[in-house]
Amino acid sequence: MSQQGAEDWWQKLYDDADAGSEPDPGDTLDQRFRSAATLMTGPAPDVPSARRAPEPDPPWPPAPPGRVPPARPSPDTPPPRPTAAERPPAAGEPARDATPAPTVPSAPAFDGPPTPAAAPPSVGSGMPARPVPGEPAAPPPGVVPPVVQPAQPGRSDPRVAGETGYARGDVVVPPVEGADARRWPPPPPGPGRVREAADVDESGAPEAPEAPDTPESPYGPRPAVRHLGDRAPTYAPEPGALPAADPAALDFLTPDTVLEGARYGTYTLRAASLRGDSARFRGEARRDLLLTARFGGGDEGLVLVVLAGGDRAAPGAREAAAELGHSVAAAVGRSRERLADDIRAGRREALLSGLQRLTDRGYGRLRARAAELGLAEEAYTAGLRGLLLPLDPACRNRVCFGAGAGGLFRLRAGRWQDLEPDGPTPGAFRFRAAVARPGDTLLLCSGGLADPLREEGLLADELASRWSQAEPPGLAAFLADTQLRLKGYADDRTAAAVWEA
């Protein structure tokens, strides 16, 4: 088939019957498909194509709703025949009323997904498609009429946001009515679902929240932090200013509070060290030292607790306490096997001699350091208390030692016993080895807690009441107990207590 014959066959198949031999350059298959799709489903998106020129944007503002502008006919299309309403009346025929027929309002747009468009009628060979009754006739070839939505009462321009602040197509999303309205139904209640405040029962009243199942603590209620006595302490109960830090010595920063605990065999250990109210107010670092360590394991293991605290007025109190505590703890760790054997065997004299040498060696280092710094010996020193506890559950021997400020107390049958009744003696070495009894509580503390415990009966009675329970307190409760405040006592507090089962 020649090129001219192919073009004639193509024109006869897709053009009307009386078309000429020369095809319309604007009448293409893509244009006809776009015209049919626009008529059935609305205007198609403008896709750039190399086979047609881009169409200009529709005029703004749009045409008034309800009126469709007449389409411009193609030059090759014959003029449409006048309808019965437009044809002038014949001779002798009565004149027709010029009033236009009432316009039937179109159905409102359906707020939902669009229904699939019906397929266009099939095209036979050489025959044009027949119009379907009830549907608009196809426009002339090459003309795409603009589609304008009919006016609807109460509808705003869909391109303008509605009451909810947005719009989608020609559907304006209505606002949510009522503060308690839900967009989705509530999920079914289950054991793991968190009940919301808007959940209501069938009567419309809000449901009462379910009480959480909180297991009772075996240690009883947590004691409240408060002060004892009629007069409130001078300083606030919580930390205020942080101490100044040296960028070159960040490893030596001291936290405000240290808390420790352990349980071995028949005893429970609780230890705490906290900054005093005066140091918290002034932004000074905590001077007391708390060190807990376990050396070895099994029945030959040993637990060491070291407390050290310096005078608040001394310039190097914090450094002196840290140096003394670490030097004594290192010496005990190196002699751990011999010390553990002497404790289990009950060799009192050997323990006294060995621990005194370790303590004197630690204080000797402090004196040498004070001389290097050009300070007096009493300006670079600290009080020391140490406690040795064997890991062997069959051994109930407890060994305490130290020197300087501090104290050792025992709570037995609800009454406190001061095991250092003469108080701190300068230069005197403190040593005590005793066999623990079931129900005893041994308290080792620095001067910040030992002084009010000796001088204020309110504090001694309160601690005796709290620590005489069947079970030892937890870590948080023990911390609250050690920071019971009294007016006139604002130094650091460090304490270690052992409850015997």
Side-chain angles (χ1 to χ4, degrees):
M1 182 182 296
S2 64
Q3 180 69 19
Q4 182 65 29
E7 293 179 357
D8 293 342
W9 173 84
W10 185 272
Q11 187 69 20
K12 290 179 181 180
L13 178 61
Y14 289 99
D15 205 356
D16 49 4
D18 55 348
S21 59
E22 293 295 329
D24 184 9
D27 185 17
T28 61
L29 178 60
D30 293 342
Q31 184 67 19
R32 292 206 173 205
F33 178 80
R34 187 173 293 102
S35 300
T38 303
L39 186 62
M40 302 301 295
T41 61
D46 188 9
V47 180
S49 174
R51 301 167 64 179
R52 65 181 181 91
E55 300 178 1
D57 294 335
W60 184 261
R67 295 181 56 190
V68 179
R72 285 188 291 178
S74 174
D76 300 335
T77 305
R81 295 180 179 180
T83 61
E86 299 173 351
R87 186 176 62 248
E93 185 179 357
R96 291 180 293 271
D97 189 5
T99 305
T103 303
V104 180
S106 59
F110 173 67
D111 295 340
T115 57
S122 61
V123 180
S125 59
M127 295 295 294
R130 294 184 177 182
V132 181
E135 294 192 7
V143 178
V144 181
V147 179
V148 180
Q149 295 290 339
Q152 299 181 12
R155 279 293 180 91
S156 59
D157 190 350
R159 288 161 294 192
V160 181
E163 297 182 10
T164 55
Y166 61 94
R168 180 180 181 183
D170 62 343
V171 180
V172 178
V173 181
V176 179
E177 298 181 0
D180 298 335
R182 292 180 178 270
R183 181 173 295 182
W184 297 283
R193 187 176 75 89
V194 180
R195 305 183 69 89
E196 301 180 2
D199 291 345
V200 295
D201 56 9
E202 297 179 356
S203 61
E207 296 182 1
E210 296 180 357
D213 297 334
T214 54
E216 297 183 359
S217 173
Y219 307 112
R222 181 176 181 269
V225 179
R226 57 186 178 86
H227 68 86
L228 301 177
D230 298 335
R231 298 183 301 167
T234 304
Y235 304 104
E238 298 299 333
L242 288 172
D246 184 2
L250 297 179
D251 294 340
F252 299 97
L253 289 178
T254 305
D256 178 271
T257 304
V258 176
L259 195 59
E260 189 62 274
R263 184 190 293 268
Y264 290 102
T266 60
Y267 64 85
T268 300
L269 172 66
R270 298 286 184 262
S273 179
L274 57 145
R275 190 163 51 141
D277 293 344
S278 176
R280 287 176 171 178
F281 175 78
R282 302 176 187 278
E284 300 174 351
R286 175 170 52 90
R287 299 174 178 83
D288 281 5
L289 169 75
L290 171 62
L291 188 151
T292 56
R294 175 178 63 86
F295 300 109
D299 294 345
E300 292 78 18
L302 196 64
V303 172
L304 170 67
V305 182
V306 174
L307 316 179
D311 187 4
R312 183 172 58 182
R318 181 169 65 95
E319 293 79 4
E323 184 176 355
L324 178 61
H326 287 109
S327 63
V328 172
V332 170
R334 290 190 294 266
S335 306
R336 183 258 313 169
E337 295 181 357
R338 183 174 181 179
L339 288 173
D341 185 63
D342 291 342
I343 291 175
R344 291 199 306 272
R347 304 187 184 99
R348 178 186 174 87
E349 297 298 329
L351 290 171
L352 172 61
S353 176
L355 292 175
Q356 186 173 5
R357 286 197 305 269
L358 297 179
T359 304
D360 291 344
R361 195 174 302 167
Y363 276 101
R365 291 182 178 180
L366 287 186
R367 291 189 291 269
R369 180 62 177 168
E372 294 177 0
L373 297 175
L375 300 175
E377 295 183 1
E378 57 273 10
Y380 195 81
T381 188
L384 174 71
R385 289 296 183 278
L387 175 63
L388 291 174
L389 303 170
L391 297 184
D392 187 357
C395 181
R396 287 184 172 268
N397 296 332
R398 312 291 185 249
V399 177
C400 302
F401 65 96
L408 178 63
F409 303 88
R410 180 170 59 196
L411 181 62
R412 176 174 291 177
R415 298 178 62 87
W416 285 107
Q417 299 175 2
D418 190 353
L419 303 183
E420 297 177 357
D422 53 349
T425 302
F429 176 72
R430 302 284 184 175
F431 176 83
R432 188 174 186 92
V435 179
R437 297 182 183 180
D440 285 356
T441 299
L442 194 65
L443 175 62
L444 197 70
C445 53
S446 63
L449 183 59
D451 293 344
L453 195 59
R454 289 191 179 103
E455 300 169 1
E456 299 291 340
L458 290 176
L459 180 60
D461 295 342
E462 183 67 21
L463 291 180
S465 174
R466 296 188 180 198
W467 291 355
S468 297
Q469 306 297 325
E471 292 290 336
L475 291 177
F478 181 77
L479 176 61
D481 296 342
T482 54
Q483 61 182 358
L484 283 172
R485 306 165 64 237
L486 297 97
K487 187 173 180 59
Y489 300 92
D491 290 343
D492 296 350
R493 289 187 179 184
T494 305
V498 180
W499 277 264
E500 301 289 344

